């Protein structure tokens, strides 16, 4: 203390020298550190020494949890093994084969008595089936293309009465235009036939909102049902099922009226709507199954008339009837399978 009082300027000068050295050190130290050591950015500038390990562990746990939950939300289609696929295939083949056998035993007790189908009938029937397959293929391809381009969304957003009116006008107009065109006029006839198929595809494209597996099952069941009925109609006695034309027309009128019932019947009449829906679904299956029998025998009848020179051969006109049978059965199969899948959930 006495030393300080005696020489006050000495402490000031010494403190000044120390402050200069400290200032020089603080200025030169960062520059030396900058030039001597490489720049390493900190991963977390707010991390302290005490909480670094805890924060890093929490960050790691958060990242792993988020990644795990995101990966669990991805949808993966289960792939059945070979044994289950073989079992399902055998079940499907058994169902189709049993259906063919049952329908053949029930509806085909009286077979042809002329020794089998003549060549001109077989060729005409094969040509009709070929055009039916081509028409259904055009409908499928066009419907898929329109659905991919967003046509289904725009169609469902339109007024249903306008869609119904325009769809019926396009379908009926092109259909009767095809019927009225001579088979010798190939360009006009096939153009109208293609327009008919495009009109059907434009109306049926919203069906592609359904699951592809359900559509495939409905298509398989439709092919099995129509194939068995066509086999019965082709091998049955001549003109055996041609009398069904009148009753089937009455049945399709009832089915059509039941389809329009939801537009007229109030929503409070739940029981009535349930009965009309069952008539539209299962009654429609029965009616258009009968139309398949009738149309196949009508094709064979027209083949005999064409062989006799009464009418020209026109497989395009015959294929339109079979296409309509297939589409009506397919639509009902899709709806039945969709309702059954919803009831299981």
């Amino acid at each position: 203390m006495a030393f300080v009082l005696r020489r006050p300027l000495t402490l000031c000068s010494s403190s000044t020298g120390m402050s200069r050295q400290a200032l020089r050190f603080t200025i030169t130290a960062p520059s030396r550190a900058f030039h001597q050591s490489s720049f390493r950015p900190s991963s977390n500038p707010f991390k302290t020494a005490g909480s670094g390990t805890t924060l890093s562990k929490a960050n790691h746990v958060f990242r792993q949890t988020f990644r795990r939950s995101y990966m669990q939300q991805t949808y993966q289609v289960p792939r059945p093994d070979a044994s289950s696929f073989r079992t399902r295939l055998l079940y499907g083949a058994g169902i189709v084969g049993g259906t063919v056998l049952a329908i053949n035993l029930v509806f085909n007790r009286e077979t042809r008595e002329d020794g089998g189908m003549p060549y001109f009938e077989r060729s005409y029937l094969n040509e009709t089936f070929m055009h039916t397959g081509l028409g259904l293929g055009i409908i499928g391809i066009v419907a898929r293309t329109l659905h991919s381009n967003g046509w289904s969304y725009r169609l469902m957003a339109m007024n249903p009465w306008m869609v119904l009116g325009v769809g019926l006008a396009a379908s009926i107009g092109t259909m009767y235009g095809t019927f009225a065109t001579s088979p010798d006029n190939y360009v006009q006839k096939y153009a109208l036939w293609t327009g008919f198929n495009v009109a059907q595809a434009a109306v049926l494209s919203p069906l592609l909102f359904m699951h592809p597996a359900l559509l495939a099952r409905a298509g398989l069941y439709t092919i099995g049902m129509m194939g068995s009925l066509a086999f019965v109609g082709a091998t049955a006695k001549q003109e055996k099922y041609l009398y069904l034309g009148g009753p089937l027309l009455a049945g399709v009128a009832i089915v059509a009226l039941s389809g329009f019932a939801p537009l007229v019947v109030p929503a409070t009449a739940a029981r009535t709507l349930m009965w009309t829906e069952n008539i539209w679904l299962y009654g429609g299956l029965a009616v258009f199954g009968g139309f398949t029998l009738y149309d196949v025998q009508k094709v064979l009848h027209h083949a005999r008339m064409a062989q006799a020179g009464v009418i020209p051969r026109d497989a395009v006109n015959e294929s339109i009837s079979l296409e309509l049978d297939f589409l009506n059965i397919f639509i009902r199969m899709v709806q039945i399978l969709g309702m059954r899948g919803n009831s299981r959930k």
Side-chain angles (χ1 to χ4, degrees), residues 258 261-278:
S258 65
L263 300 176
V264 181
V265 179
T268 56
R271 188 177 296 273
T272 304
L273 291 174
M274 181 186 68
W275 279 104
T276 55
E277 184 178 7
N278 290 332

Side-chain angles (χ1 to χ4, degrees), residues 230-246:
F231 174 76
V232 170
T235 57
K237 189 177 180 180
Q238 293 182 4
E239 303 180 1
K240 181 180 180 180
Y241 296 108
L242 290 181
Y243 74 93
L244 293 175

